[in-house]
């Protein structure tokens, strides 16, 4: 169905031109943590195809489509070859000793300010062209809004939102990553229209009480290892050994799911040790996120990053049940359990009683590598899609993109407007009948 809709075809002509132009430019110098990536454009289908119909299996059942491959996907057909900047990508889920320093260096895109100040205009043009080219495979969710809502027409949208870098801009001080009043209002309105959950790497308490402060949502903290959701009798939720019944702040009965609860003493021990062993490195910030620990090096002199990594990986040698994953200028120490933001999405859909419905459209918006697990689940299940928030091209399992939190806000507002106008049209037609 979506194949026939072609909002990008005009862009495609421009991008083809840009691709040829930049392909013919042999020298490509990219800023700081970026490296060139070969991308082959897809002549036969520059138009985005229906994300939902690409996947065939139901939620929770094995997918019968070929597994997503980040290496060769949408650019697979022969065609133009364009070098675009790409962040160095370490293993997404395990930064092993040999690669951790590289991974640390490439773990966040350069600030816009940096690129404007430090790179020449032509390099900046190349970066912009690269972004536009990348958008062929990962189009803007705002530009594709009509496609999204056409598909969503007879469906119930369910929203999953990451916090840092998605609802709040990335800032130097993690304790000051507040969302704007306007964003809070947008999320609140969205949550009134659609079931909405926030899934964050931070501790759930911190996200709920210090940052988001909205009661209309479900929350999952610690990368999904701490979920508070509606009470539901089901084998998957209610009878799960790690799930207990409790009451929330408003006294409402809820389910609390904490699959890593046994790790809390270990995480506290590691947190204290990390505080101690990094105390002399200026700029390090160690954050206790209850079921995981974040070691931030955003404010550390780059010469000392190796030192930070050595301390973290050195300490973890004594904790075989913990692993290190990588976020944006942050090393995340977390339990080795088969749980991530993707599993949290499945769990929440089940909690909301939605996982067996054919008419849902889950949309997950996130900016981080940890969000890729959720994008992947949606890509491989029967419904929904991910939206990656990024100002630079990235390998991703998401189907759409947005540049930054301000575009996320715009997207949420557009969804609410669309929902309200669709509802009033339905009311009008009912009244006419
Ligand atoms: O899953 P998320 O909600 O995106 O949380 C991931 C991590 O986000 C926070 O760190 C990141 O944002 C900070 C504030 O902008 C920034 O200073 C830091 O460099 C980023 O890595 C949070 O502090 C971590 O605990 C979360 O794990």
């Amino acid at each position: 169905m979506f194949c026939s809709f072609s909002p990008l075809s005009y862009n495609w002509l421009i991008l083809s031109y840009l691709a040829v132009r930049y392909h013919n430019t042999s020298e490509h110098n990219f800023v700081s943590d970026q490296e060139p990536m070969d991308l082959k454009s897809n002549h036969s289908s520059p138009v985005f195809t229906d994300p939902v119909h690409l996947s065939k299996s139901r939620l929770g059942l094995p997918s019968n489509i070929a597994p997503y491959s980040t290496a060769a996907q949408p650019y697979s057909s022969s065609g133009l070859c364009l070098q675009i900047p790409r962040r160095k990508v370490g293993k997404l889920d395990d930064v092993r000793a040999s690669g951790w320093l590289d991974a640390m260096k490439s773990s966040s895109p350069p600030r816009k300010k940096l690129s404007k100040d430090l790179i020449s205009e032509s390099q900046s043009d190349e970066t912009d062209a690269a972004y536009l080219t990348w958008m062929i495979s990962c189009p803007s969710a705002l530009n594709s809004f009509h496609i999204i809502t056409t598909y969503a027409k007879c469906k119930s949208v369910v929203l999953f939102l990451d916090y840092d870098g998605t609802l709040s801009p990335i800032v130097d001080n993690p304790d000051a990553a507040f969302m704007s009043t306007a964003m809070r209002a947008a999320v609140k309105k969205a949550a009134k229209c659609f079931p909405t959950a926030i899934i964050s790497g931070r501790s759930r308490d911190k996200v709920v009480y210090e940052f988001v402060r909205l009661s209309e949502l479900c929350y999952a903290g610690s990368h999904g290892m701490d979920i508070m959701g509606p009470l539901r009798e089901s084998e998957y939720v209610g009878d799960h050994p790690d799930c207990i019944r409790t009451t929330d702040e408003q006294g409402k009965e809820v389910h609390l799911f904490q699959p890593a609860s046994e790790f809390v003493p270990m995480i506290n021990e590691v947190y204290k040790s990390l505080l101690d062993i990094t105390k002399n490195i200026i700029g390090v910030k160690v954050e206790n996120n209850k079921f995981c620990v974040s070691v931030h090096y955003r404010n550390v002199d780059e010469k000392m990053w190796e030192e930070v990594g050595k301390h973290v990986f050195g300490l973890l040698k004594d904790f075989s049940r913990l692993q290190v994953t990588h976020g944006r200028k942050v090393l995340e120490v977390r339990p080795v359990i088969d749980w991530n933001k993707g599993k949290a999405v499945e769990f929440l859909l089940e909690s909301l009683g939605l996982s067996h419905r054919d008419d849902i459209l889950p949309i997950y918006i996130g900016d981080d590598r940890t969000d890729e697990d959720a994008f992947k689940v949606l890509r491989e299940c029967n419904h929904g899609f991910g939206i990656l928030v990024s100002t630079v091209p990235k390998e991703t399992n998401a189907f759409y993109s947005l540049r930054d939190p301000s575009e996320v806000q715009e997207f949420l507002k557009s969804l609410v407007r669309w929902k309200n106008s669709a509802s009033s049209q339905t009311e009008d037609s009912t009244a006419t009948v």
Side-chain angles (χ1 to χ4, degrees), residues 164-221:
D164 288 281
T166 298
L167 299 182
S168 67
I170 292 293
V171 292
D172 287 344
N173 177 4
D175 294 337
F178 301 110
M179 68 200 286
S180 65
T181 309
M183 179 64 98
R184 183 171 294 104
V187 174
K188 189 179 169 114
K189 282 187 183 152
K192 284 192 172 147
C193 292
F194 315 107
T196 302
I198 291 191
I199 305 186
S200 171
R202 292 182 186 256
S203 77
R204 183 170 49 80
D205 277 358
K206 209 182 280 179
V207 176
V208 179
Y209 302 115
E210 291 177 33
F211 293 107
V212 181
R213 295 185 273 120
L214 290 171
S215 58
E216 291 84 354
L217 323 172
C218 293
Y219 290 92

Side-chain angles (χ1 to χ4, degrees), residues 375-390:
F375 297 155
K376 192 158 181 258
V377 160
L378 295 185
R379 185 178 270 269
E380 289 175 357
C381 80
N382 208 9
H383 319 280
F385 54 84
I387 301 178
L388 175 67
V389 182
S390 180

Side-chain angles (χ1 to χ4, degrees), residues 268-284:
N268 286 334
E269 184 188 340
V270 164
Y271 169 66
K272 283 189 197 131
S273 302
L274 285 168
L275 273 181
D276 188 46
I277 58 181
T278 60
K279 66 174 183 272
N280 294 325
I281 306 178
I282 297 166
V284 168

